[in-house]
Amino acid sequence: MHLNGVGWIAAIIIGGLAGWFAEMFMKSNTGIFMNIVMGIVGAIVLNAILQALNFGPFGVGWIAYLITGFIGACLLIWAGRLVRR
């Protein structure tokens, strides 16, 4: 698994921040654990989508991981809302 140049502990912290930002932006009510999961999984999913479309990641480092996690978490929240309807 490629974490954009951040370690596991940093991925958990940054993933939590990305998930929290996405929760506030998308006005969803999730807990801290789901914020962390959505941020990390969102970053992994968006990286996979970008690789499938022959785009590179947004960069290397914690800011790139935060941006990727935020966008990926927003996509996960949006997809979850589509499934629930």
Side-chain angles (χ1 to χ4, degrees):
M1 178 169 53
H2 182 61
L3 295 175
N4 284 359
V6 298
W8 287 99
I9 301 297
I12 292 170
I13 294 169
I14 297 166
L17 282 173
W20 181 59
F21 290 149
E23 174 191 28
M24 291 188 327
F25 181 74
M26 298 292 287
K27 293 177 180 41
S28 128
N29 293 324
T30 58
I32 185 73
F33 180 72
M34 279 306 295
N35 288 344
I36 294 170
V37 170
M38 282 192 310
I40 294 171
V41 173
I44 293 168
V45 167
L46 187 59
N47 275 328
I49 291 171
L50 290 174
Q51 286 179 356
L53 296 174
N54 289 327
F55 289 109
F58 291 126
V60 177
W62 66 273
I63 292 180
Y65 192 80
L66 182 66
I67 293 169
T68 306
F70 170 74
I71 295 170
C74 286
L75 287 173
L76 289 177
I77 293 170
W78 176 74
R81 288 179 179 169
L82 282 178
V83 170
R84 279 189 258 160
R85 290 184 181 188

